[in-house]
Amino acid sequence: MGVEVERKFLVSGQSWRAGVTSSTRIVQGYLAQTPTTTVRVRVRGERAYLTIKGASVGITRSEFEYEIPVDDALAMLEELALEPAIDKVRHLVPVGQHIWEVDVFSGANAPLVMAEIELTAADESFVRPPWAGDEVSDDPRYFNVNLAREPYSTWVG
């Protein structure tokens, strides 16, 4: 069983851009959500994935991910996924011993910029860069599945 340990932060400023090592467009949609399970389809660059995630317990949850044909993923996004799809560019930024993922959202979730760091344990230490602003790991509004249901532009003030 896969386990995801992830912390999320709002991004402040543009200084993170100087450290970007790669960037990839991601389009993802949600096929199902219950209180205990979320099913997502994602096209990331030239590859596609089906992901099943369990309920969050703090910053940890089970995660299973499988590569699928891109054509299948595109059909699922068009025919089955909740709209609007999440559309973002993910930038990888090394900081300390970790790679931070900085997501710049477009469409209904613009101008949201959020950084995520995946850890091996909930209590793992990490270097927090100055551009990592308020932590939103426990704020369900910032879960991607909820951004698909209620985009950032509809509730930010």
Side-chain angles (χ1 to χ4, degrees):
M1 173 173 71
V3 176
E4 175 184 63
V5 181
E6 178 181 83
R7 293 181 66 175
K8 296 181 178 208
F9 300 83
L10 297 179
V11 172
S12 175
Q14 299 290 320
S15 63
W16 60 271
R17 290 187 181 275
V20 171
T21 58
S22 68
S23 303
T24 306
R25 181 172 180 230
I26 295 173
V27 178
Q28 67 190 41
Y30 292 86
L31 306 178
Q33 182 190 21
T34 70
T36 60
T37 309
T38 300
V39 181
R40 173 188 78 200
V41 63
R42 170 185 275 179
V43 177
R44 180 178 185 156
E46 301 298 317
R47 301 178 99 165
Y49 304 88
L50 185 65
T51 306
I52 299 105
K53 295 187 179 196
S56 295
V57 178
I59 60 171
T60 304
R61 63 182 166 177
S62 58
E63 177 181 64
F64 304 89
E65 185 165 78
Y66 307 96
E67 189 164 357
I68 62 173
V70 172
D71 287 343
D72 288 358
L74 292 172
M76 288 181 212
L77 283 167
E78 185 177 321
E79 299 171 24
L80 305 174
L82 179 68
E83 292 184 359
I86 300 290
D87 193 346
K88 60 189 177 182
V89 175
R90 173 162 289 167
H91 305 276
L92 301 184
V93 183
V95 177
Q97 299 298 313
H98 294 91
I99 304 293
W100 286 72
E101 299 172 339
V102 178
D103 291 339
V104 178
F105 290 80
S106 59
N109 284 296
L112 179 61
V113 181
M114 196 164 35
E116 300 177 354
I117 182 170
E118 291 203 16
L119 305 170
T120 57
D123 61 352
E124 181 180 350
S125 63
F126 61 93
V127 176
R128 184 172 171 175
W131 42 261
D134 293 339
E135 184 166 4
V136 294
S137 300
D138 295 326
D139 187 337
R141 295 177 302 169
Y142 292 97
F143 297 173
N144 281 297
V145 67
N146 292 335
L147 290 171
R149 292 187 189 290
E150 289 188 50
Y152 183 73
S153 64
T154 65
W155 52 268
V156 70

